[in-house]
């Protein structure tokens, strides 16, 4: 059978199903180790960058910091005594430098323990919505363990699966309608 050629519009439209996903998603990672004593967030909650999300037990680190403070104070007192002894010629320069090094070591130890204490407060790395909370109050956190996930829903991307034969219908800059 033969048909006459006639002009008509071809429907190049596609109807596809997709999902919206956040462009930015970050895991909240524990930097300290210990039992989670307080959890301040739940799934779906809005958080701002830097807000406290959880607290890890800091009692042992606080005790270490107290010991480091005492050690630092003793080292500084020793240094002051050794300065007077050096000025009087009662000790060698090497003995004085050894005590001076002990002060620097005590300061470094104090700074390290202070940083560990800071790690017991878990803060949000960005503003967004809590997508998932993986731990609960009372569970044990270890450095590098994911505690929760926060997503930024201010900018979303739509992910659509397109069949191979329909890819030719898609062009960059083409208008789309989302229902």
């Amino acid at each position: 059978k033969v048909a006459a050629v006639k002009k008509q519009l071809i429907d190049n439209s596609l109807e596809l199903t997709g999902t919206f996903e956040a462009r930015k998603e970050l895991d909240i990672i524990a930097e300290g180790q210990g039992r989670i004593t307080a959890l301040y967030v739940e799934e779906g909650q809005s958080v701002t960058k830097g807000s406290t999300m959880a607290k890890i037990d800091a009692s042992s680190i606080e005790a270490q910091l107290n010991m480091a403070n005492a050690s630092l104070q003793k080292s500084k007192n020793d240094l002051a005594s050794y300065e007077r002894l050096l000025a009087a010629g009662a000790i060698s320069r090497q003995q004085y430098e050894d005590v001076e090094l002990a002060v620097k070591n005590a300061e470094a130890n104090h700074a390290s323990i202070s940083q560990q204490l800071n790690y017991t407060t878990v803060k949000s790395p960005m503003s967004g919505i809590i997508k998932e909370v993986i731990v609960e109050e009372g569970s044990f956190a270890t450095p590098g363990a994911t505690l929760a996930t926060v997503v930024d829903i201010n900018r979303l991307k739509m992910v659509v699966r397109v069949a191979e034969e329909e890819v030719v219908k898609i062009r960059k800059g083409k208008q789309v309608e989302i229902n």
Side-chain angles (χ1 to χ4, degrees):
K1 190 174 184 184
V2 178
V5 177
K6 62 181 178 179
K7 189 176 180 181
Q8 74 181 67
L9 292 175
I10 298 175
D11 184 19
N12 263 348
S13 66
L14 290 175
E15 197 166 306
L16 303 168
T17 303
T19 57
F20 282 108
E21 293 181 2
R23 287 185 182 267
K24 191 173 182 185
E25 179 175 315
L26 290 175
D27 288 336
I28 292 124
I29 306 292
E31 294 179 277
Q33 177 174 305
R35 189 177 55 81
I36 297 172
T37 57
L39 192 60
Y40 304 114
V41 295
E42 56 188 39
E43 290 178 11
Q45 180 180 338
S46 179
V47 293
T48 57
K49 181 178 181 177
S51 62
T52 301
M53 303 186 67
K55 190 78 176 122
I56 297 172
D57 182 23
S59 56
S60 66
I61 296 172
E62 287 169 346
Q64 289 176 27
L65 188 59
N66 288 336
M67 287 177 24
N69 280 332
S71 176
L72 179 59
Q73 191 58 49
K74 182 188 179 317
S75 295
K76 286 181 177 179
N77 291 342
D78 289 349
L79 184 63
S81 297
Y82 274 64
E83 279 178 17
R84 289 189 295 275
L85 291 172
L86 182 64
I91 60 168
S92 69
R93 182 82 184 150
Q94 179 64 46
Q95 289 173 308
Y96 174 77
E97 288 174 357
D98 289 345
V99 173
E100 197 174 40
L101 181 62
V103 170
K104 289 180 181 173
N105 286 338
E107 286 172 341
N109 187 41
H110 183 271
S112 173
I113 294 171
S114 292
Q115 185 60 46
Q116 288 177 29
L117 187 59
N118 289 339
Y119 289 157
T120 62
T121 302
V122 180
K123 297 186 179 286
S124 176
M126 69 177 197
S127 295
I129 304 292
I130 300 298
K131 174 184 172 186
E132 177 181 28
V133 178
I134 297 166
V135 296
E136 54 189 55
E137 201 168 303
S139 58
F140 196 80
T142 56
T146 301
L147 304 180
T149 304
V150 64
V151 294
D152 180 8
I153 60 169
N154 290 326
R155 292 194 61 204
L156 300 174
K157 63 181 175 183
M158 178 161 231
V159 178
V160 179
R161 306 282 181 235
V162 180
E164 194 175 323
E165 62 273 1
E166 294 179 332
V167 170
V168 294
K169 296 180 180 179
I170 300 173
R171 298 272 185 261
K172 185 177 180 176
K174 225 176 180 185
Q175 288 281 338
V176 295
E177 184 180 318
I178 299 174
N179 295 323

